Amino acid sequence: MKTKIVLSFFVIIIVVIGCGPQGASKYKLTENEKRLCDSLQIDPTIIQDIRQYNQSEMESFHYSLGKIFQYGETFEIDPIRLQGLVFTEQNAKSYDLVFKLKDQLKKKGYSIFLLENNFDINDEPDYIGVLKTTDKYEVLKQIGTDGINYDITNDSLISIIHQFDKECSLELVGASGDWCEFIIHKAPSDWMKFAEEAYDVCPDIVDQGVGTIEALATEMRRSKRLYFWWD
């Protein structure tokens, strides 16, 4: 009877290990991925972590607000190139991927975030970025996020985010040249006042978005997200 119990115990262990998700360490980087990590001085386990959920091509980080379409291809105008990675994901999965990996990558000194949301228009994938920093302000600075249409420079935007951050403990989950998005980890004392302040920074989130400041307050309370987008 004791022998049967011991055998059953080992069978259970084997089954559990065999059926579990593939560990990041089991993925072997391609030669191109190894060269990419070497040239950027990126921890190769970052790609191994991503490969648990995504198999798209890894590229060195590049981004541009200006794009032209020629001969069936898209070309970026004066792209910024940073110490990090960029890859694509289906729109329906992009936020989920960021949320699955953000804490894991942060422990290793990296930030993962949605870089370009194409909203599944014409089946275009989204772009996800990874930068070698855990500082959300450094991400915004490196990418050059601003609301220049409303005279908000990158420096002034970072100062504005600092003020919101003090009250609501923000975590960056999306950013590019003209938008940024944060998780609100601490509820503000007054959601309506918070919405009014957000509207002052970015009228487009109401005027071209939810329609009223009251609706914005309701949406932010529900989603626990702060989102700025300057058209």
Side-chain angles (χ1 to χ4, degrees):
M1 178 62 72
K2 289 183 180 180
T3 302
K4 290 182 180 180
I5 291 173
V6 171
L7 288 175
S8 298
F9 175 74
F10 280 108
V11 169
I12 290 171
I13 291 178
I14 292 169
V15 169
V16 170
I17 293 175
C19 295
Q22 181 178 353
S25 61
K26 291 186 178 180
Y27 176 79
K28 293 185 178 180
L29 273 65
T30 66
E31 291 304 313
N32 285 337
E33 290 170 345
K34 290 177 183 177
R35 283 193 289 270
L36 187 63
C37 290
D38 288 342
S39 65
L40 295 169
Q41 296 184 314
I42 295 291
D43 182 348
T45 67
I46 298 301
I47 292 181
Q48 291 178 323
D49 292 337
I50 294 169
R51 287 296 183 233
Q52 295 177 86
Y53 309 102
N54 177 285
Q55 301 301 317
S56 65
E57 181 183 0
M58 293 286 160
E59 300 178 18
S60 59
F61 190 101
H62 58 89
Y63 174 74
S64 173
L65 270 178
K67 296 182 180 181
I68 57 175
F69 301 90
Q70 287 184 341
Y71 314 114
E73 293 187 53
T74 301
F75 298 91
E76 296 178 337
I77 302 173
D78 297 325
I80 58 171
R81 299 186 182 278
L82 302 171
Q83 188 179 15
L85 303 168
V86 64
F87 58 98
T88 60
E89 181 56 275
Q90 298 174 23
N91 179 261
K93 298 179 179 179
S94 57
Y95 274 112
D96 186 47
L97 178 59
V98 169
F99 274 70
K100 283 179 178 177
L101 288 171
K102 63 182 182 65
D103 295 337
Q104 188 173 342
L105 267 56
K106 187 174 183 179
K107 291 177 182 178
K108 298 181 179 182
Y110 294 78
S111 295
I112 184 170
F113 54 95
L114 185 60
L115 177 65
E116 185 173 337
N117 189 340
N118 285 309
F119 300 98
D120 208 25
I121 298 173
N122 298 324
D123 295 324
E124 284 289 321
D126 293 344
Y127 285 83
I128 293 175
V130 176
L131 289 180
K132 195 174 182 180
T133 178
T134 59
D135 185 340
K136 55 179 169 285
Y137 301 109
E138 185 63 24
V139 172
L140 294 173
K141 187 174 183 63
Q142 288 189 33
I143 294 176
T145 310
D146 62 40
I148 206 64
N149 291 348
Y150 290 91
D151 297 321
I152 298 175
T153 65
N154 180 253
D155 286 340
S156 59
L157 173 63
I158 288 174
S159 295
I160 289 167
I161 298 302
H162 267 291
Q163 295 305 311
F164 283 104
D165 193 18
K166 287 179 183 177
E167 182 178 8
C168 296
S169 185
L170 302 176
E171 180 181 8
L172 181 77
V173 290
S176 73
D178 61 358
W179 70 275
C180 51
E181 184 174 5
F182 306 86
I183 301 171
I184 299 171
H185 283 295
K186 180 182 175 184
S189 57
D190 185 333
W191 281 102
M192 189 63 189
K193 181 183 177 184
F194 187 70
E196 289 170 351
E197 292 171 347
Y199 176 74
D200 287 341
V201 174
C202 183
D204 289 340
I205 57 177
V206 171
D207 298 342
Q208 298 188 48
V210 294
T212 67
I213 295 177
E214 290 81 3
L216 177 62
T218 298
E219 175 59 23
M220 290 196 297
R221 185 189 298 113
R222 181 197 65 80
S223 66
K224 301 299 187 291
R225 301 283 185 91
L226 175 63
Y227 179 85
F228 291 136
W229 166 69
W230 298 272
D231 190 7

